């Protein structure tokens, strides 16, 4: 049963936008693959330039209607960027493209273009400081997330700006790799962490890299330093004196680097589902999984009916991981849009990764685990395969950007031993074969060996120290970027407000009306957001099988 924090219809729509992301490495830290539903629309062009009311720049022009140059960057108004599915929120948007150097170390080299969409404020008297949205992933396109932002009321009294991060779906070039998505779909029928699966996984990654490099992409230029500069250039090219930043999931990683490297013109920053650049990597994903799982297990234990029907849920889960890793279960399921039965193999690693996404559908988790413990893997297998084979899992993630971030900013600064130690600390009972592959980052180290981009300067791992007012939002069930990341980043942000929304999964803005209200109040008053709605939140009603 859905929580009462947001209307059920809105909740479904926004959750679909949190689609499965990457290739063999589930590259998005914004993964809800088991929630994806078939999409019926073809790729298409947005609604084009609208006539919505907008705020004016100091020069008197409405934002997004004038051609402007800022250094090596140039904004040109034009049609709205393409999106994988129709996005009604873009119907009245003002759109265009930002052209920037692919590699700023070579300003006279190749140029790339990034799609821009500006959704006008809902009021006729908008405030002068718009909000720029930083998407999840790495590899998701912000323009495609516009519905989530507008459904949550982010444009109540401010324009909201969406730009496709370099390499993403509506950018040029686009660094998607459908072959990786296709491998992910086939891999549901393979033992998740087997050496043979690793070889196929890395082969798909190498094929992706060779194709992108063969098209002339400078893969070393797809990273947070270049992306942060893109956003700094966008603000100036749009003629905006001051704006606010709101990042979700991986977008928080980019936001923290952006506010450190280009603090000029940033009024406030909201980060939701926090991924600190200073600690990002395999150990952090293990810690986050432990936090999110424990939050859900604790909520079940505190609900008499759930605790009576599904006692010691954490112990059951740990036992199932060990048993499945020793003796994987093979079954077949029916997946919407696929007429033939789909083979699914569930081992310990697959169960851990299913659970990492399953906190998004928390009410059904205890029942699903109990059914598996009693010999019925169907519910979990259907969810696991359904996400990987959904149309939303194909051709949308910019794997080139994802590996650019992972392989230059994460892997060089976390040893294999540190990653394994992080897993063992979080889940001491798990077999080594499970601990060797962190949730969401399977086979990341060998993938990065073939991706072969140079390490970013060590300073990329610095903590962000800032007095920019910051809202640090987390969910109590977040198993992808644990709630402890909020207090961690706030330690060096002198004007930060830390909020954990209980009983919510990764990216609370997408699922919680309370989180949306807190966010709106933060942008109204960045040093004193209203958090009173937290006191009325209640846990979900867990499903109880007959």
């Amino acid at each position: 049963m859905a929580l009462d924090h947001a209307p059920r219809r809105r909740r479904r729509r926004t959750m679909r936008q949190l689609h499965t992301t990457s290739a063999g490495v589930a590259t998005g830290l914004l993964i809800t693959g088991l929630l994806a539903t078939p999409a019926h629309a073809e790729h298409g062009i947005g609604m084009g330039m609208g006539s919505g009311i907008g705020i004016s720049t100091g020069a008197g022009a409405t934002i997004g209607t004038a051609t402007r140059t800022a250094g090596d960057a140039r904004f040109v108004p034009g049609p709205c960027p393409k999106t994988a599915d129709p996005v009604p929120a873009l119907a009245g948007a003002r759109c265009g493209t930002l052209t920037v150097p692919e590699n700023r170390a070579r300003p006279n080299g190749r140029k790339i273009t990034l799609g821009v969409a500006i959704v006008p404020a809902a009021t006729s008297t908008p405030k002068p400081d718009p909000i720029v949205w930083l998407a999840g992933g790495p590899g998701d396109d912000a323009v495609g997330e516009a519905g989530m932002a507008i459904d949550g009321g982010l444009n109540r009294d401010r324009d909201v700006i969406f730009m496709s991060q370099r390499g993403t779906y509506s950018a040029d070039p686009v660094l998607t790799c459908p072959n990786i998505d296709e491998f992910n779909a086939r891999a549901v029928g393979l033992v998740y962490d087997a050496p043979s699966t690793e070889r196929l996984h890395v082969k798909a990654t190498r094929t992706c890299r060779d194709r992108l490099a063969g098209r002339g992409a400078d893969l070393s230029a797809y990273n947070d330093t270049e992306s942060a500069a893109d956003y700094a250039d966008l603000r100036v090219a749009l003629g905006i004196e001051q704006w606010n930043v709101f990042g979700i999931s991986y977008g928080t990683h980019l936001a923290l680097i952006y506010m450190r490297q280009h603090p000029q013109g940033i009024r406030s920053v909201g980060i939701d589902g926090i991924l600190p650049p200073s600690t990002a990597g395999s150990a952090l994903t293990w810690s986050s999984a432990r936090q999110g799982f424990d939050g859900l297990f604790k909520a079940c234990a505190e609900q008499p009916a759930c605790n009576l029907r599904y006692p010691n849920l954490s112990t059951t889960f740990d036992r199932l991981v060990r048993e499945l890793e020793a003796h994987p279960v093979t079954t077949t399921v029916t997946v919407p849009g696929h007429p033939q039965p789909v083979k699914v193999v569930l081992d310990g690693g697959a169960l851990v990764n299913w659970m990492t996404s399953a906190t998004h559908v928390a009410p059904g988790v205890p029942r699903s685990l109990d059914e598996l413990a009693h010999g019925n893997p169907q519910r979990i297998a259907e969810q696991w395969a359904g996400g990987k084979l959904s149309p939303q899992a194909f051709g949308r993630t910019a794997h080139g950007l994802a590996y650019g971030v992972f392989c230059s900013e994460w892997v060089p600064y976390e040893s294999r031993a540190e990653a394994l130690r992080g897993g063992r600390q979080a889940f001491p009972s798990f077999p080594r074969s499970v601990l060797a592959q962190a949730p969401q980052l399977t086979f990341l180290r060998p993938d990065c060996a073939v991706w072969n981009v140079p390490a970013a300067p060590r300073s990329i791992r610095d903590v962000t120290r800032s007095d920019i007012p910051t809202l640090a939002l987390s969910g109590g069930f977040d198993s992808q970027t644990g709630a402890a990341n909020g207090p961690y980043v706030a330690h060096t942000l002198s004007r930060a407000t830390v909020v954990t929304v209980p009983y919510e999964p990764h990216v609370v803005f997408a699922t919680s009306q309370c989180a949306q209200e807190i966010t709106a109040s933060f942008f109204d008053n960045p040093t004193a957001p209203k958090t009173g709605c937290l006191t009325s939140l209640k846990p979900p009603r867990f499903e109880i099988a007959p």
Side-chain angles (χ1 to χ4, degrees):
M1 141 180 246
L3 298 181
D4 294 330
H5 303 176
R8 190 172 186 130
R9 182 173 300 169
R10 171 181 294 176
R11 183 184 180 88
R12 244 185 238 125
R13 182 167 59 247
T14 55
M15 293 309 295
R16 282 202 298 268
Q17 293 166 323
L18 301 178
H19 52 272
T20 296
T21 53
S22 196
V25 321
T27 52
L29 290 179
L30 188 63
I31 306 173
T32 60
L34 59 99
L35 298 172
T37 56
H40 303 291
E42 298 295 328
H43 293 193
I45 300 299
M47 296 297 293
M49 294 185 64
S51 58
I53 297 170
I55 56 181
S56 298
T57 66
T62 300
I63 292 174
T65 60
T67 297
R68 293 177 178 271
T69 299
D72 295 318
R74 182 175 178 82
F75 175 79
V76 178
C80 284
K82 67 177 182 178
T83 57
D85 299 310
V87 181
L90 298 178
R94 303 182 300 276
C95 298
T97 56
L98 183 76
T99 302
V100 296
E102 183 177 45
N103 188 330
R104 286 177 171 81
R106 295 192 288 274
N108 296 322
R110 187 164 86 150
K111 304 290 186 182
I112 62 175
T113 59
L114 312 176
V116 178
I118 304 165
V119 175
T123 178
S124 60
T125 55
K127 296 186 176 173
D129 45 298
I131 298 169
V132 62
W133 177 278
L134 305 187
D140 291 349
D141 192 326
V143 179
E145 293 180 352
M148 186 196 313
I150 304 311
D151 282 351
L154 204 61
N155 71 325
R156 184 187 64 182
D157 50 17
R158 286 178 171 84
D159 286 6
V160 183
I161 301 169
F162 304 89
M163 182 171 74
S164 51
Q165 192 179 348
R166 52 177 50 214
T168 59
Y169 187 86
S170 60
D172 183 14
V174 56
L175 303 189
T176 55
C177 284
N179 76 291
I180 287 181
D181 304 323
E182 291 162 4
F183 171 77
N184 280 345
R186 295 196 307 273
V188 299
L190 304 175
V191 175
Y192 186 84
D193 49 21
S196 56
T197 304
E198 177 180 346
R199 288 191 293 272
L200 293 171
H201 189 293
V202 175
K203 180 181 178 182
T205 302
R206 181 184 291 109
T207 300
C208 168
R209 188 200 192 284
D210 291 348
R211 184 177 68 84
L212 296 180
R215 292 181 174 180
D218 179 355
L219 298 180
S220 68
Y222 291 82
N223 56 53
D224 284 307
T225 295
E226 292 286 1
S227 290
D230 294 341
Y231 281 96
D233 283 345
L234 176 67
R235 182 185 64 81
V236 178
L238 289 177
I240 298 170
E241 181 177 347
Q242 192 176 59
W243 68 5
N244 306 277
V245 176
F246 190 70
I248 63 165
S249 190
Y250 156 74
T252 69
H253 187 284
L254 176 57
L256 288 162
I257 290 174
Y258 171 42
M259 65 193 288
R260 170 156 50 90
Q261 295 182 346
H262 303 278
Q264 304 85 358
I266 301 178
R267 173 179 174 264
S268 68
V269 176
I271 46 178
D272 178 1
I274 301 163
L275 180 61
S278 54
T279 58
S282 296
L284 188 67
T285 66
W286 281 118
S287 170
S288 295
R290 179 83 273 174
Q291 293 173 57
F293 299 174
D294 284 351
L296 191 156
F297 296 150
K298 183 174 183 287
C300 174
E302 292 175 347
Q303 195 168 106
C306 189
N307 188 50
L308 179 64
R309 183 65 177 80
Y310 311 114
N312 304 313
L313 201 57
S314 179
T315 301
T316 299
F317 174 72
D318 284 8
R319 175 175 56 80
L320 285 169
V321 170
R322 296 193 303 272
E323 291 178 352
L324 287 175
E325 190 66 6
H327 304 287
V329 169
T330 300
T331 188
T332 58
V333 299
T334 300
V335 174
H338 293 264
Q340 300 301 318
V342 175
K343 174 187 173 184
V344 178
V345 176
L346 294 178
D347 64 352
L351 184 62
V352 169
N353 280 269
W354 167 81
M355 183 68 183
T356 302
S357 292
T359 50
H360 285 274
V361 286
V365 167
R367 179 176 180 177
S368 295
L369 290 174
D370 183 70
E371 288 181 0
L372 180 61
H374 288 86
N376 182 2
Q378 292 305 109
R379 279 164 60 103
I380 290 177
E382 287 170 1
Q383 291 176 343
W384 179 238
K388 301 293 186 182
L389 276 71
S390 164
Q392 295 170 316
F394 292 85
R396 304 189 182 199
T397 297
H399 301 290
L401 173 61
Y403 284 121
V405 172
F406 294 152
C407 301
S408 69
E409 302 176 24
W410 295 15
V411 167
Y413 300 109
E414 181 183 55
S415 69
R416 191 184 302 271
E418 288 170 331
L420 189 61
R421 185 162 57 248
R424 189 171 290 118
Q425 288 173 348
F427 296 94
S429 73
F430 282 6
R432 183 183 176 92
S433 57
V434 173
L435 297 177
Q437 308 301 334
Q440 311 176 74
L441 300 174
T442 312
F443 306 129
L444 181 58
R445 193 166 294 274
D447 278 338
C448 285
V450 301
W451 203 254
N452 191 29
V453 291
R458 182 168 285 276
S459 60
I460 201 72
R461 304 287 288 187
D462 289 349
V463 298
T464 296
R465 300 181 185 278
S466 177
D467 62 358
I468 297 173
T470 304
L471 174 66
L473 280 170
S474 299
F477 287 177
D478 189 345
S479 55
Q480 293 158 261
T481 57
N485 293 342
Y488 171 80
V489 298
H491 185 67
T492 54
L493 302 173
S494 62
R495 301 170 74 192
T497 301
V498 178
V499 175
T500 297
V501 182
Y503 318 121
E504 291 291 344
H506 186 57
V507 183
V508 295
F509 185 87
T511 57
S512 167
Q513 183 177 344
C514 180
Q516 294 165 2
E517 292 171 1
I518 292 169
T519 301
S521 72
F522 167 75
F523 287 124
D524 286 344
N525 186 356
T527 58
K530 298 176 182 178
T531 60
C533 60
L534 294 170
T535 61
S536 62
L537 300 183
K538 294 181 173 145
R541 183 178 301 170
F542 291 99
E543 295 177 20
I544 306 299

